[in-house]
Amino acid sequence: MSDMTTTEHLHLDPDRLFPADPRTRDIARELFSEVANLAILSPHGHVPAEWIADDEPFADPTSLLLSPDHYVTRLLHASGVDLAQLGVGGTAADPREAWRIFCARWGLFTGTASAGWLEHVFSHVFAVSEVPSAATADIIYDRISRSLATPEFRPRALFERFRIEALATTDDPLDDLDAHRRISADPTFRGRVLPTFRPDKYIDPEAPGFANAVARLADQHGIAVDDYRGYITALEERRAHFVARGAVSADHGVADAYTTVLDADDAAALFRRAVRGKLSPAEAREFRGHMLVEMARMSVADGLVMTLHPGVQRNHSSVTFRDFGPDSGHDIPVRVEFTRGLRPLLERHGLERDFHLVLFTIDETAYSREIAPLAGFYPSVFIGAPWWFLDAPDAIGRFRAAVTETAGFSRGSGFIDDTRAFLSIPARHDVARRSEAAFLARYVAEGRISLARAREIIVDLVDRQPREVFKL
Amino acid sequence: MSDMTTTEHLHLDPDRLFPADPRTRDIARELFSEVANLAILSPHGHVPAEWIADDEPFADPTSLLLSPDHYVTRLLHASGVDLAQLGVGGTAADPREAWRIFCARWGLFTGTASAGWLEHVFSHVFAVSEVPSAATADIIYDRISRSLATPEFRPRALFERFRIEALATTDDPLDDLDAHRRISADPTFRGRVLPTFRPDKYIDPEAPGFANAVARLADQHGIAVDDYRGYITALEERRAHFVARGAVSADHGVADAYTTVLDADDAAALFRRAVRGKLSPAEAREFRGHMLVEMARMSVADGLVMTLHPGVQRNHSSVTFRDFGPDSGHDIPVRVEFTRGLRPLLERHGLERDFHLVLFTIDETAYSREIAPLAGFYPSVFIGAPWWFLDAPDAIGRFRAAVTETAGFSRGSGFIDDTRAFLSIPARHDVARRSEAAFLARYVAEGRISLARAREIIVDLVDRQPREVFKL
Amino acid sequence: MSDMTTTEHLHLDPDRLFPADPRTRDIARELFSEVANLAILSPHGHVPAEWIADDEPFADPTSLLLSPDHYVTRLLHASGVDLAQLGVGGTAADPREAWRIFCARWGLFTGTASAGWLEHVFSHVFAVSEVPSAATADIIYDRISRSLATPEFRPRALFERFRIEALATTDDPLDDLDAHRRISADPTFRGRVLPTFRPDKYIDPEAPGFANAVARLADQHGIAVDDYRGYITALEERRAHFVARGAVSADHGVADAYTTVLDADDAAALFRRAVRGKLSPAEAREFRGHMLVEMARMSVADGLVMTLHPGVQRNHSSVTFRDFGPDSGHDIPVRVEFTRGLRPLLERHGLERDFHLVLFTIDETAYSREIAPLAGFYPSVFIGAPWWFLDAPDAIGRFRAAVTETAGFSRGSGFIDDTRAFLSIPARHDVARRSEAAFLARYVAEGRISLARAREIIVDLVDRQPREVFKL
């Protein structure tokens, strides 16, 4: 692993991510200026609502910016660093030592999405002017630490400084959503913080903790643990609770996009065996596929936007999972299929008024082949913004090129930052807006669309689209 | 859905689709000028031969340009428009009202292939100078209506104005091809209109109408409906009829590229059960795979080029299919596999002299992985031009980049417009020629090929390749 | 097939493969100059060690440059040339006649990787100044023939002229590696020529010649042919022999990346039946998957880097295989899957110190979806350079764009020429270095990384990475 020996000033090019060709770059700059300062809409992400509700100061640079960021810790791990040295998964690590390791290996991140986001955070949020390195690690650590101790760096202050208008969290169906209640009840804070219903472990018999989750649900609702109709009603009631607390969407992280419609008796029979852990993998898939259609049915009824995130093999390394828990950097994508898998769901609900189904993928091959064609026909289907490993400038460009010629610009979800790295939210939206400007600028430069039309579109993508698709 | 509020002049940039870099653009312009005015060869498409034979005036803008264009109606549908309002599938819709809906939502198409084609049709065919919008819908409708009433806009006049040299239609094997006969018998019309043998529903037991189609074939040929040898002979005779009427190719729209060789007794046994609707899906696939090899065998014998269009889930929405019929915008691609699937066919016929097999795909992943390697070895295999959703400038560029480094420029089919939108044929060839010029210009600018060689190649791609591959 | 009629001077643009945009091109030129003259490290390829050991003059242009180059002969075959006319697979062909056929069809290669390599060989190695054509075939043939007769064109002289520092061959496990011994024992030659352990036909029951290979292994080691433990020990001993002769890696060309862990008794039972040819395809896959994990275990023990080349359907055309043998141009890629397939291997050895597993693919879809995410977490996993059909400028650019945003620049293998075309090695490294420069220049021009950092990275990619990953 080569360490970066050059000592350079941390400098963010004001024209970064714009195409090199001078005329195209001028157009991109102009388009970006239309949206650079628009409020941030973040309809799907993982920031804890408690941060905003409690408004406590962040503890230190490492626990805020390093330990929980699996984009960063995974690449350090690949280079030979023990995750325990980085405080991953709650392991006890010396924060300053962890930070030194990170800065000494900063060169690993050159060219990655994370480097761009972190440079933006360092430079724009903390006014750090040093490029991270072994030599500058302590300087940067101390600068950030001092900032975090000031009121200007408390969560709510940053929320406002970042011009966030709405921020969705991701929540367990049994969460009482008290943090959300406190935030919306507080007249001194104007930002919207919306819960999101995330029922994976309540509807997927193969999800870790399924039996326990269903048992708690049954317990809370006073029903027998294997009462399928009671279970369905309980899920509906939990969704109603989320709607009452301001939720606009329900999110589904599933192994694949397989759906199926079972009759209620068959579903009930599977459910009774599922809560006892008796389903074969094929039966579990049937039940999960059925429950996705049930979730769609409930979305039609209660209006929650349904977002689908399929196709990841979670916790690829069992040893790492045992030692550091989930989200520790070894979730690996797999191929995914939508056309056949979603057909039963779409046959039943695809033409419903006001049903919104947003499809995300880490398998880029699905963009032009399946997702754009589906969203180009079904009024309910929207093309999710590039997700996870694909949430980076080149990948955003490939995404846009893959879907636009089939589905135009109108069928997308708007940008989704999908992050728990609260401080990087402006950086991520900045990268997305610049990437959209770069793409549109090329179409203008190639005479495919007018500059006037491109101006309209970029505002649409950044502002109107997330509002409409997520019913904000 | 954002409506385009700017009133702009409809303006086609003469340098549209050329790269932004000035030097590369100059090269592209120069290369395009080599082929801009060459005659159009259209060896695969869906224009009805009756249009040319009868030469009746087109009825109105909507039934000509909107209702049958599923690229357009699908995106309107996705935006919330009822297909019945657009006259899809023969539904009764007020043409002017449908047109207004379309124009009011013109902004949906920004960036799509359809927008480029339609702007070309409006501007170059009808001299429309307004950008479509709610405000301009009637103006444009009236302009086009007036034009359509004049002799200059009858099919044959347009055929000549478009400089079409040869146009292939797509026809049912039992079609008597009388329209084709009338066209070729008419000394006053010099264009070639060639039938294409499209036997899907006669050879695929899972195609809608299979049993009925086979029954009609048997009836016409005086054989028992379950007589396999008679059935094979009847298909050969129908192909001979097509050859006699000028056909140069047989086209196969199949679920996948699976092929297999059955012995005649096994095939006959499957066939007997197929006509009674008794095949399991696996058996149907076997029979279909066998019949593809039979079609290849017949192509070797009668010289018809074999074109293969696999990998589409047709009629994804049953309700829409029921109400609006096939080709109503909800055919969705699926993953496709060629290497293993085609091996039995290629083992038997892949090295035959004068056998031409053209492979199309909507799954872009097959270009570099399977199609270019196959066409780079088998003299019989040709790389089909980008098909359907991929028939657009960026997708054409991706296609070219994906296949060229493996297979060069010599193994392609030439551009295939594959359209029933007769008026858009020049637009589609214009886009393809510009896209080829843009790709070649980059290779010249990057010092990979000489300008002189690029000039030769673009003429090859546009003119020689379709002539040779389709034996025109 | 269009012959190139223009007579042009063979001219290699000194800025070839650099982006057209002037500023980006300047940066690319500057980055390329950092590495243009660095020594060549070739840690995986197919040059016979005997060439260097014996240092005999090459026979003639055709047997050196044409007959064995299946990239070239395959495209000639696709254009209608009989492989026997080209001397493929040891067939007797007149070398000069074969050369004339090749030169007359030179236009076939425009835009291919092969054209770029061959132009470099002709121009830089042989000072040929004519573009190949029917008219220039004899001139070029004679020029090359005369050169080959001189001492300056013997293998060792070229090895030194090419500035090759280390060159790996690919060898049968039972090879005595005498040529390697002779080379390293010769004090007059300073280049390193390293053997590579390639055990496919010893560990894959479906590989042609498996039973025979295992029988020879057993015979040489004095064990019963179906003695599984003896077989494992014998493989370990053969690897030790390779290590003693300087090997740094073991290479695995497998049908897919499926791995599994069997207990020793089950493995032994399968092995006993495997040597008798009794395994079903599913059982053969199990045994092969088990043996891949065994190979990983041995790599952990003996330090040989494990390289994996899955996903090719070898010898697609049986007739061609019968007449011309393997490597005659009809190996066709298939889809490949790593995430699930490699999990058993990585569960067992993925976190081991000093285990290096390099993943290659011809299925580009795996780059961003599977390979970059795996290499971005597991310290043992490295991203193999673009392989085979993807070893070309545009494909290298797509590769770099697909992996960098996830895994940065640090997780790659360095460039792998993987060739038996000895004379093209400098050309291939030149193309790779230019392609890296072009990619990095874009990132610099787009303000994503600094020029200083790009300079460091390109040296890393070309020099440090192959040294470290392959433990040179």
Side-chain angles (χ1 to χ4, degrees):
Chain A
M1 200 274 314
S2 108
D3 189 19
M4 208 181 64
T5 47
T6 339
T7 6
E8 293 181 280
H9 202 70
L10 185 60
H11 171 69
L12 269 68
D13 185 337
D15 282 344
R16 63 191 177 280
L17 306 183
F18 297 157
D21 172 68
R23 185 168 66 99
T24 315
R25 172 162 287 214
D26 287 347
I27 299 166
R29 193 185 298 118
E30 197 165 336
L31 292 173
F32 177 64
S33 73
E34 294 278 334
V35 295
N37 297 314
L38 291 183
I40 286 177
L41 300 166
S42 176
H44 179 69
H46 297 272
V47 172
E50 286 71 19
W51 287 5
I52 314 299
D54 301 342
D55 204 30
E56 297 290 332
F58 293 112
D60 62 80
T62 294
S63 67
L64 176 61
L65 299 172
L66 174 55
S67 307
D69 188 339
H70 55 73
Y71 286 70
V72 172
T73 57
R74 68 196 314 278
L75 213 43
L76 291 167
H77 178 262
S79 82
V81 175
D82 187 334
L83 293 176
Q85 294 180 279
L86 303 172
V88 172
T91 49
D94 180 75
R96 186 178 289 270
E97 278 305 317
W99 191 259
R100 286 173 180 160
I101 292 168
F102 163 56
C103 289
R105 296 184 181 229
W106 175 246
L108 290 174
F109 299 96
T110 306
T112 65
S114 294
W117 298 328
L118 285 166
E119 285 173 354
H120 190 282
V121 170
F122 291 159
S123 170
H124 285 33
V125 182
F126 294 108
V128 165
S129 59
E130 293 81 11
V131 172
S133 71
T136 62
D138 281 358
I139 299 169
I140 298 172
Y141 190 88
D142 292 335
R143 169 90 39 82
I144 296 177
S145 295
R146 280 196 304 274
S147 292
L148 293 179
T150 66
E152 291 77 16
F153 286 82
R154 296 227 178 157
R156 289 189 179 190
L158 290 174
F159 194 106
E160 286 173 6
R161 176 175 160 196
F162 292 166
R163 273 197 286 258
I164 300 172
E165 178 180 323
L167 178 73
T169 61
T170 296
D171 307 277
D172 188 282
L174 289 181
D175 194 307
D176 63 7
L177 305 177
D178 186 60
H180 296 84
R181 186 197 55 74
R182 285 189 284 138
I183 295 166
S184 58
D186 182 345
T188 70
F189 182 71
R190 286 166 312 171
R192 293 175 65 189
V193 179
L194 318 169
T196 300
F197 187 78
R198 172 81 175 242
D200 301 344
K201 68 181 170 188
Y202 295 81
I203 66 176
D204 176 4
E206 293 185 317
F210 169 76
N212 187 261
V214 171
R216 288 186 293 114
L217 179 70
D219 186 55
Q220 181 169 324
H221 285 257
I223 53 173
V225 72
D226 65 354
D227 171 2
Y228 173 72
R229 281 173 183 74
Y231 158 77
I232 292 293
T233 305
L235 286 170
E236 288 169 341
E237 289 173 9
R238 293 313 304 163
R239 292 174 64 107
H241 177 65
F242 272 67
V243 171
R245 284 279 182 270
V248 296
S249 77
D251 181 45
H252 306 83
V254 282
D256 58 30
Y258 177 79
T259 64
T260 189
V261 175
L262 304 177
D263 73 33
D265 288 347
D266 291 344
L270 282 177
F271 180 69
R272 281 192 296 275
R273 294 175 49 235
V275 297
R276 289 169 181 82
K278 299 287 193 196
L279 298 189
S280 69
E283 289 171 324
R285 189 170 188 248
E286 285 298 295
F287 186 75
R288 185 171 62 236
H290 167 77
M291 286 306 296
L292 277 184
V293 181
E294 278 294 284
M295 289 294 115
R297 181 187 61 75
M298 293 182 199
S299 275
V300 169
D302 63 23
L304 289 179
V305 175
M306 182 174 191
T307 58
L308 201 67
H309 289 90
V312 183
Q313 162 84 54
R314 304 273 172 181
N315 308 314
H316 197 266
S317 163
S318 301
V319 168
T320 308
F321 178 63
R322 182 198 66 198
D323 293 346
F324 302 98
D327 301 321
S328 49
H330 48 110
D331 298 341
I332 312 288
V334 293
R335 217 152 47 209
V336 74
E337 201 279 339
F338 291 98
T339 301
R340 289 173 175 139
L342 288 181
R343 197 175 178 215
L345 188 155
L346 292 171
E347 283 279 48
R348 188 153 282 217
H349 301 296
L351 303 176
E352 299 267 10
R353 291 274 148 210
D354 289 330
F355 175 47
H356 288 190
L357 172 63
V358 187
L359 303 180
F360 295 88
T361 186
I362 322 185
D363 178 355
E364 301 186 65
T365 71
Y367 286 148
S368 72
R369 188 182 57 216
E370 303 177 43
I371 294 180
L374 284 166
F377 174 75
Y378 287 102
S380 58
V381 176
F382 294 88
I383 306 170
W387 176 39
W388 204 334
F389 297 103
L390 302 177
D391 172 14
D394 282 2
I396 293 173
R398 292 198 298 274
F399 158 78
R400 213 28 103 188
V403 303
T404 301
E405 294 178 324
T406 288
F409 292 97
S410 73
R411 304 298 306 155
S413 67
F415 180 65
I416 304 292
D417 58 64
D418 192 22
T419 191
R420 65 195 77 224
F422 179 52
L423 271 71
S424 77
I425 288 177
R428 289 167 194 255
H429 285 258
D430 177 79
V431 167
R433 292 170 187 190
R434 288 173 180 274
S435 301
E436 301 290 19
F439 183 82
L440 284 162
R442 176 168 70 84
Y443 270 31
V444 173
E446 292 175 0
R448 300 174 68 166
I449 63 179
S450 70
L451 180 58
R453 183 67 185 126
R455 284 180 193 280
E456 294 176 341
I457 288 171
I458 198 162
V459 175
D460 255 26
L461 296 178
V462 169
D463 195 75
R464 183 202 56 79
Q465 216 157 77
R467 282 188 207 283
E468 288 192 14
V469 174
F470 283 92
K471 308 176 178 177
L472 293 174
Chain B
M1 202 274 314
S2 109
D3 189 19
M4 205 180 66
T5 47
T6 336
T7 4
E8 292 181 280
H9 202 70
L10 185 61
H11 170 69
L12 269 68
D13 186 337
D15 283 344
R16 65 191 176 279
L17 307 182
F18 297 156
D21 172 67
R23 186 168 66 97
T24 316
R25 170 162 289 214
D26 287 346
I27 299 167
R29 194 185 298 117
E30 198 165 335
L31 292 173
F32 177 64
S33 74
E34 294 279 333
V35 295
N37 296 315
L38 292 183
I40 287 177
L41 300 165
S42 177
H44 178 70
H46 296 271
V47 172
E50 286 71 19
W51 287 4
I52 313 299
D54 300 341
D55 203 31
E56 296 289 333
F58 294 112
D60 62 80
T62 293
S63 67
L64 175 61
L65 299 172
L66 173 55
S67 308
D69 188 340
H70 55 74
Y71 285 72
V72 171
T73 57
R74 69 196 313 278
L75 212 44
L76 291 167
H77 179 262
S79 83
V81 175
D82 187 334
L83 292 176
Q85 294 181 278
L86 303 172
V88 173
T91 49
D94 180 77
R96 186 178 289 270
E97 278 305 319
W99 191 260
R100 286 173 179 160
I101 292 168
F102 163 54
C103 289
R105 297 184 181 227
W106 175 246
L108 290 173
F109 299 97
T110 305
T112 65
S114 294
W117 298 328
L118 285 165
E119 285 173 354
H120 190 282
V121 170
F122 291 159
S123 171
H124 286 33
V125 181
F126 294 107
V128 165
S129 59
E130 292 82 11
V131 172
S133 71
T136 63
D138 281 357
I139 299 168
I140 298 172
Y141 190 88
D142 292 335
R143 168 88 43 81
I144 296 176
S145 296
R146 280 196 304 275
S147 293
L148 293 179
T150 66
E152 292 76 18
F153 287 82
R154 297 229 177 156
R156 290 188 179 191
L158 290 174
F159 195 105
E160 286 172 7
R161 175 175 162 198
F162 292 167
R163 273 196 288 258
I164 299 174
E165 178 180 323
L167 178 73
T169 61
T170 296
D171 308 276
D172 187 283
L174 289 180
D175 193 308
D176 63 6
L177 306 177
D178 187 59
H180 297 82
R181 187 197 53 73
R182 285 189 283 136
I183 295 166
S184 57
D186 182 345
T188 70
F189 181 70
R190 285 167 313 172
R192 294 174 64 189
V193 179
L194 318 169
T196 299
F197 186 77
R198 172 81 177 242
D200 301 344
K201 68 180 171 190
Y202 294 82
I203 66 175
D204 176 4
E206 293 185 317
F210 169 77
N212 187 260
V214 171
R216 287 185 295 113
L217 180 70
D219 186 53
Q220 181 169 325
H221 286 256
I223 53 172
V225 73
D226 64 355
D227 171 1
Y228 173 71
R229 280 173 185 76
Y231 158 77
I232 293 293
T233 304
L235 287 170
E236 289 169 341
E237 290 174 8
R238 293 314 303 162
R239 292 174 64 109
H241 177 65
F242 272 67
V243 171
R245 283 279 182 270
V248 295
S249 76
D251 181 45
H252 306 83
V254 282
D256 57 31
Y258 177 78
T259 65
T260 189
V261 176
L262 304 176
D263 72 33
D265 287 347
D266 291 344
L270 282 178
F271 180 69
R272 280 192 296 275
R273 295 174 49 233
V275 297
R276 289 169 181 80
K278 299 289 194 195
L279 297 190
S280 69
E283 289 171 324
R285 190 170 188 248
E286 286 297 295
F287 187 76
R288 185 171 62 233
H290 167 77
M291 286 307 295
L292 277 184
V293 181
E294 279 294 285
M295 289 294 116
R297 181 186 62 73
M298 293 181 198
S299 274
V300 170
D302 63 21
L304 288 180
V305 175
M306 181 174 192
T307 59
L308 201 67
H309 289 90
V312 183
Q313 163 84 55
R314 304 273 172 181
N315 307 314
H316 198 265
S317 164
S318 302
V319 168
T320 307
F321 178 63
R322 183 198 65 201
D323 293 347
F324 302 98
D327 301 319
S328 50
H330 47 109
D331 297 341
I332 311 288
V334 293
R335 214 151 49 208
V336 74
E337 201 278 339
F338 292 97
T339 301
R340 288 173 176 139
L342 288 181
R343 197 175 178 216
L345 187 155
L346 292 171
E347 284 278 47
R348 188 153 283 217
H349 300 296
L351 303 176
E352 299 266 11
R353 292 274 146 209
D354 291 329
F355 175 48
H356 288 190
L357 172 64
V358 188
L359 304 180
F360 295 87
T361 186
I362 322 185
D363 178 354
E364 300 186 67
T365 71
Y367 286 148
S368 72
R369 189 182 56 215
E370 302 177 44
I371 293 180
L374 284 166
F377 173 75
Y378 287 102
S380 58
V381 176
F382 294 89
I383 306 169
W387 176 38
W388 204 333
F389 296 104
L390 302 177
D391 173 14
D394 283 2
I396 293 173
R398 292 197 299 274
F399 158 78
R400 216 23 106 187
V403 303
T404 301
E405 293 178 322
T406 288
F409 291 98
S410 72
R411 303 299 306 155
S413 68
F415 180 65
I416 304 293
D417 58 64
D418 193 23
T419 191
R420 66 194 76 227
F422 180 53
L423 273 69
S424 76
I425 288 177
R428 290 168 193 252
H429 286 258
D430 178 78
V431 167
R433 292 170 186 190
R434 289 173 179 275
S435 300
E436 300 290 18
F439 183 81
L440 284 162
R442 177 169 69 82
Y443 269 32
V444 173
E446 292 176 0
R448 300 174 69 166
I449 63 178
S450 70
L451 180 57
R453 182 69 185 126
R455 283 180 193 280
E456 294 176 341
I457 289 171
I458 199 162
V459 175
D460 255 25
L461 296 177
V462 169
D463 195 75
R464 184 201 56 80
Q465 217 157 78
R467 282 189 206 281
E468 288 193 14
V469 174
F470 283 92
K471 307 176 179 177
L472 293 174
Chain C
M1 201 272 315
S2 108
D3 188 20
M4 207 179 66
T5 48
T6 337
T7 4
E8 292 181 281
H9 202 70
L10 185 62
H11 169 70
L12 268 70
D13 186 338
D15 282 345
R16 63 190 178 279
L17 307 183
F18 297 156
D21 172 67
R23 185 167 67 97
T24 315
R25 171 163 287 215
D26 287 346
I27 299 168
R29 194 185 298 118
E30 197 165 335
L31 292 173
F32 177 64
S33 73
E34 294 278 334
V35 294
N37 297 314
L38 292 183
I40 286 177
L41 300 165
S42 176
H44 179 69
H46 297 271
V47 172
E50 285 71 20
W51 288 4
I52 314 299
D54 301 340
D55 203 30
E56 297 289 332
F58 293 112
D60 61 80
T62 294
S63 67
L64 176 62
L65 298 172
L66 173 55
S67 307
D69 188 341
H70 55 73
Y71 285 72
V72 172
T73 57
R74 70 196 312 278
L75 213 45
L76 290 167
H77 179 261
S79 81
V81 175
D82 188 333
L83 293 177
Q85 295 180 278
L86 303 172
V88 172
T91 48
D94 180 74
R96 187 178 289 271
E97 278 305 318
W99 191 260
R100 285 174 180 159
I101 292 168
F102 163 55
C103 288
R105 297 186 181 227
W106 176 246
L108 289 173
F109 299 96
T110 306
T112 64
S114 294
W117 298 328
L118 285 166
E119 285 174 352
H120 190 282
V121 170
F122 292 159
S123 171
H124 285 33
V125 181
F126 294 107
V128 165
S129 58
E130 293 81 12
V131 172
S133 71
T136 62
D138 282 357
I139 300 168
I140 298 173
Y141 190 88
D142 291 334
R143 168 88 41 83
I144 296 178
S145 295
R146 279 194 306 272
S147 293
L148 293 180
T150 67
E152 293 74 20
F153 286 82
R154 296 227 176 156
R156 289 189 180 190
L158 290 173
F159 195 105
E160 286 173 7
R161 176 176 161 197
F162 292 168
R163 273 196 287 257
I164 299 174
E165 178 180 323
L167 178 73
T169 62
T170 296
D171 307 277
D172 187 283
L174 288 181
D175 194 307
D176 62 7
L177 306 177
D178 186 60
H180 297 83
R181 186 197 55 73
R182 285 189 283 138
I183 296 166
S184 56
D186 182 346
T188 68
F189 182 70
R190 286 166 312 173
R192 293 174 65 189
V193 178
L194 319 169
T196 299
F197 187 78
R198 174 80 176 244
D200 301 345
K201 68 180 170 189
Y202 294 81
I203 66 176
D204 176 4
E206 292 184 318
F210 168 76
N212 186 260
V214 170
R216 286 186 295 113
L217 180 70
D219 185 54
Q220 181 167 325
H221 285 257
I223 53 172
V225 72
D226 64 354
D227 170 3
Y228 174 71
R229 280 173 184 76
Y231 159 76
I232 292 293
T233 304
L235 286 170
E236 288 168 341
E237 289 174 8
R238 293 314 303 163
R239 292 174 65 109
H241 177 64
F242 272 67
V243 171
R245 284 277 181 271
V248 297
S249 76
D251 181 45
H252 305 82
V254 283
D256 57 30
Y258 176 78
T259 65
T260 188
V261 175
L262 304 177
D263 72 34
D265 288 347
D266 291 345
L270 282 177
F271 180 69
R272 280 191 297 273
R273 295 174 49 233
V275 297
R276 288 169 181 80
K278 300 289 194 194
L279 297 189
S280 70
E283 289 170 324
R285 190 170 187 247
E286 285 298 294
F287 186 76
R288 186 171 62 234
H290 168 77
M291 285 307 296
L292 278 184
V293 181
E294 279 294 284
M295 290 294 115
R297 181 186 62 73
M298 294 181 198
S299 276
V300 169
D302 63 22
L304 289 180
V305 175
M306 183 175 190
T307 58
L308 201 67
H309 288 91
V312 183
Q313 163 84 54
R314 304 274 172 180
N315 308 314
H316 197 266
S317 164
S318 301
V319 167
T320 307
F321 178 63
R322 182 198 65 199
D323 293 346
F324 302 98
D327 301 320
S328 50
H330 48 109
D331 297 341
I332 311 289
V334 293
R335 215 152 47 208
V336 72
E337 201 277 340
F338 292 97
T339 301
R340 288 172 176 141
L342 288 181
R343 196 175 180 216
L345 188 156
L346 291 171
E347 284 280 47
R348 189 152 282 218
H349 301 295
L351 303 176
E352 300 265 11
R353 290 275 146 209
D354 291 328
F355 175 48
H356 289 191
L357 172 64
V358 188
L359 304 180
F360 295 87
T361 186
I362 322 185
D363 178 355
E364 300 186 66
T365 71
Y367 287 148
S368 72
R369 187 182 58 216
E370 303 177 45
I371 294 180
L374 285 166
F377 173 75
Y378 287 101
S380 58
V381 177
F382 295 88
I383 306 169
W387 177 38
W388 203 335
F389 297 105
L390 303 177
D391 173 14
D394 283 2
I396 292 173
R398 293 198 298 275
F399 158 78
R400 211 32 100 188
V403 303
T404 301
E405 293 177 325
T406 288
F409 291 97
S410 73
R411 303 298 307 154
S413 67
F415 179 65
I416 304 292
D417 58 64
D418 194 22
T419 191
R420 65 194 77 225
F422 180 52
L423 272 70
S424 76
I425 289 177
R428 289 169 193 253
H429 285 259
D430 177 78
V431 167
R433 292 170 187 190
R434 288 172 180 275
S435 300
E436 300 291 19
F439 183 81
L440 284 162
R442 176 169 69 83
Y443 270 32
V444 173
E446 292 175 1
R448 299 174 69 165
I449 62 177
S450 70
L451 180 57
R453 183 68 185 125
R455 283 180 193 279
E456 295 176 340
I457 289 170
I458 198 163
V459 175
D460 255 25
L461 296 177
V462 169
D463 195 76
R464 184 201 56 78
Q465 217 158 77
R467 281 187 207 282
E468 289 193 13
V469 174
F470 282 92
K471 308 177 179 177
L472 293 174

